[in-house]
């Protein structure tokens, strides 16, 4: 699509929520383009396993770190560990996210708060801490994983939609604030992607979804990872504050 295979050689990339799913695919793709990678996840055991597999696949450094992005102390400790090991952070992908679906009238306070804390505050926490580092470097790339649900809303996902719409606002504001420092900030809004998050969809809902996707299939984690690789490449250096929809044409 965009980048020669080792274009990102020597860059240090931090991907949150990357022990599995879309985050893991992003790690694989960035490693394949030459980056050192940090697999940061609340699930340390799975992060360690993923980092181990990346090391043997790509013969590169792959550091696993336990982090809860919703907790600022945890994020600060993560950034310190990365700086101690690599001395810089070139790429941040805010990918960690959860769903706690329920109709508005039945939505528990905790389900609202948890989703906002992890998806939105988590992205804010990581962005603020990593931008401190990127400002000193006068370079950096940030990619936030939003969702088409943040653009169009969804029944039973008021919390998730609000968190993802919030991420889009965060993306645009931070992009404006730090563009002059050589840092770009963009968001990707995936449609329905085959991961553990969507495994739970009932067959009839899946069927209905497919009828609304012009390209006729759910997306793969790789479909999203390819766009991350583009946005952090040299080819995308004039793109900031944008939301790239990766949904097989569902929303247009
Ligand atoms: P997933 O559930 O497979 O993976 C999410 C990862 O985030 C897990 O490894 C989990 O342990 C980690 N995580 C959860 N809470 C965390 C926390 N507090 N701190 C650090 N890590 C944490 O999900 P998937 O499908 O790979 O989604 C990744 C991102 O893509 C999410 O932000 C999600 O909202 C977004 N997305 C997913 C879509 C899909 O259809 N799967 C569609 C649109 C957006």
């Amino acid at each position: 699509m965009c980048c020669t295979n080792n274009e990102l050689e020597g860059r240090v990339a931090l991907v949150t929520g990357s022990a599995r799913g879309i985050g893991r695919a992003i790690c694989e793709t960035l490693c394949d383009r030459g980056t050192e990678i940090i697999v940061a996840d609340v699930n340390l055991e799975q992060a360690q396993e993923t980092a181990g597999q990346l090391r043997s696949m790509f013969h590169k450094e792959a550091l696993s770190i336990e982090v809860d992005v919703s907790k600022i102390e945890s994020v600060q400790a993560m950034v310190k560990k990365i700086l101690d090991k690599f001395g810089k952070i070139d790429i941040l992908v805010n990918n960690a996210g959860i769903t706690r679906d329920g109709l508005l009238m039945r939505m528990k306070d905790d389900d609202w708060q948890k989703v906002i804390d992890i998806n939105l505050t988590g992205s804010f926490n990581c962005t603020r801490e990593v931008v401190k580092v990127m400002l000193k470097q006068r370079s950096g790339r940030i990619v936030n994983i939003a969702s088409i649900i943040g653009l169009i809303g969804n029944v039973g996902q008021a919390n998730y939609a609000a968190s993802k719409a919030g991420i889009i606002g965060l993306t645009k504001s931070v992009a404006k604030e730090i563009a002059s420092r050589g840092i770009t900030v963009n968001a990707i809004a995936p449609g329905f992607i085959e991961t553990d998050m969507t495994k739970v969809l009932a067959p009839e809902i899946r069927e209905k979804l497919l009828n609304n996707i012009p390209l006729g299939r759910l997306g793969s984690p790789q479909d999203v990872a390819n766009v991350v690789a583009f946005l952090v490449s040299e080819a995308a250096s004039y793109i900031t504050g944008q939301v790239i929809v990766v949904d097989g044409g569902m929303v247009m």
Side-chain angles (χ1 to χ4, degrees), residues 17 20 22 41-42 67-69 95 145-146 160 164 191 193 195 198:
R20 67 178 198 188
I22 294 172
D41 203 288
V42 76
V67 68
D68 178 347
V69 294
N95 167 79
I145 307 299
Y160 186 76
K164 294 299 187 179
I193 308 295
T195 67
T198 46

Side-chain angles (χ1 to χ4, degrees), residues 77-134:
M78 167 182 72
V79 169
K80 184 174 181 313
K81 272 186 208 149
I82 299 168
L83 292 180
D84 286 348
K85 181 152 178 73
F86 296 106
K88 61 172 187 167
I89 303 173
D90 300 299
I91 295 164
L92 165 65
V93 183
N94 282 309
N95 167 79
I98 61 162
T99 51
R100 287 276 186 94
D101 297 352
L103 294 172
L104 178 73
M105 289 304 154
R106 287 192 220 133
M107 188 169 285
K108 298 193 179 73
D109 290 353
D110 187 56
D111 290 339
W112 168 266
Q113 203 57 52
K114 262 257 142 44
V115 169
I116 298 294
D117 286 351
I118 294 176
N119 297 6
L120 181 56
T121 308
S123 300
F124 164 74
N125 286 340
C126 295
T127 300
R128 194 180 54 186
E129 294 311 306
V130 171
V131 162
K132 285 179 192 165
V133 179
M134 289 178 170

Side-chain angles (χ1 to χ4, degrees), residues 22-237:
I22 294 172
R24 186 198 153 107
I26 294 169
C27 287
E28 280 180 23
T29 304
L30 294 182
C31 267
D32 191 43
R33 307 282 156 94
T35 69
E36 314 290 341
I37 203 89
I38 297 103
V39 181
D41 203 288
V42 76
N43 184 341
L44 180 62
E45 210 174 301
Q46 204 165 6
Q48 283 169 334
E49 203 182 305
T50 297
Q53 287 162 354
L54 292 170
R55 276 193 292 271
S56 54
M57 281 164 80
F58 299 102
H59 309 289
K60 299 224 105 222
E61 279 287 357
L63 180 66
S64 51
I65 299 184
E66 182 177 10
V67 68
D68 178 347
V69 294
S70 66
K71 307 255 161 42
I72 187 64
E73 314 78 45
S74 177
V75 170
Q76 284 167 337
M78 167 182 72
V79 169
K80 184 174 181 313
K81 272 186 208 149
I82 299 168
L83 292 180
D84 286 348
K85 181 152 178 73
F86 296 106
K88 61 172 187 167
I89 303 173
D90 300 299
I91 295 164
L92 165 65
V93 183
N94 282 309
N95 167 79
I98 61 162
T99 51
R100 287 276 186 94
D101 297 352
L103 294 172
L104 178 73
M105 289 304 154
R106 287 192 220 133
M107 188 169 285
K108 298 193 179 73
D109 290 353
D110 187 56
D111 290 339
W112 168 266
Q113 203 57 52
K114 262 257 142 44
V115 169
I116 298 294
D117 286 351
I118 294 176
N119 297 6
L120 181 56
T121 308
S123 300
F124 164 74
N125 286 340
C126 295
T127 300
R128 194 180 54 186
E129 294 311 306
V130 171
V131 162
K132 285 179 192 165
V133 179
M134 289 178 170
L135 284 176
K136 286 190 196 134
Q137 296 167 186
R138 298 193 71 84
S139 69
R141 295 290 170 95
I142 299 174
V143 180
N144 296 325
I145 307 299
S147 167
I148 53 161
I149 303 305
L151 296 169
I152 62 172
N154 199 16
V155 172
Q157 291 200 302
N159 51 358
Y160 186 76
S163 75
K164 294 299 187 179
I167 287 177
I168 291 170
L170 175 73
T171 301
K172 294 182 180 183
S173 301
V174 179
K176 284 186 177 177
E177 274 188 40
I178 61 181
S180 65
R181 310 297 191 91
I183 305 165
T184 67
V185 190
N186 291 289
I188 296 176
F192 286 86
I193 308 295
E194 300 271 15
T195 67
D196 290 332
M197 196 180 255
T198 46
K199 232 188 228 162
V200 293
L201 293 173
E204 59 278 14
I205 301 208
R206 184 175 280 262
E207 192 55 40
K208 224 165 131 190
L209 269 175
L210 283 175
N211 290 334
N212 286 318
I213 302 175
L215 287 176
R217 64 172 176 89
L218 262 64
S220 68
Q222 191 61 51
D223 290 322
V224 179
N226 289 340
V227 180
V228 174
F230 168 63
L231 288 172
V232 304
S233 76
E234 208 35 50
S237 57

